[in-house]
Amino acid sequence: DAGVIQSPRHEVTEMGQEVTLRCKPISGHDYLFWYRQTMMRGLELLIYFNNNVPIDDSGMPEDRFSAKMPNASFSTLKIQPSEPRDSAVYFCASSSRSHHGYTFGSGTRLTVV
Amino acid sequence: KNEVEQSPQNLTAQEGEFITINCSYSVGISALHWLQQHPGGGIVSLFMLSSGKKKHGRLIATINIQEKHSSLHITASHPRDSAVYICAAASSKNSGGSNYKLTFGKGTLLTVNP
């Protein structure tokens, strides 16, 4: 298995633009998580899905953030409009009950200028 | 106050030294995770444990549920162990399958010098 695949690895965009981050979880994993990592706040959970259904989105900072999981092999995190304070590394991770652990993607480094 | 506290924040060691990183948590948990992140790199899950001790190579993780405390030990440390080590607690308060929801410590930056 190729692991959790995130794209793009790096994204630089101008303030106000829409940004879409993508994630392909490990096949067979039924949990998918989106995390954000900044120097100031460390790692924070944004939202997670179980069997493609959003379970907890209490970490999504504002209405500018939205996440979808249309099927078991794909999820997106969208920021519209983006702001400089959204600059961070965004990680996707997947897990399953039988796996009892997490597998993280390589992350997307987002810079909003 | 963060629900998961790690110490120390920074740790510098000489190659070969025995390393201990501590983690205390204030919530009831279903599992405790130790993660490793190299500078500019991705995050690797090292251990998930809910009781006792686990060992993988030179790494050992222990947990004391009564004291709400976990430790990560590295024996015979090596410069390639230099990384940020993050403790994360999966809360048992959450319903359904959300014991997978993690609360993270701030991380411990370990530098092992040759």
Side-chain angles (χ1 to χ4, degrees), chain A residues 10-14 83-84 86-88 109-113:
Chain A
H10 302 272
E11 176 81 32
V12 180
T13 191
E14 291 185 345
E83 297 183 4
D86 302 330
S87 298
R109 183 174 296 275
L110 174 65
T111 304
V112 183
V113 298

Side-chain angles (χ1 to χ4, degrees), chain B residues 21 58 72 76 88 96 101-102 104 108:
Chain B
I21 299 171
R58 296 180 294 106
L72 176 68
K101 180 179 176 180
L102 299 181
F104 296 90
T108 295

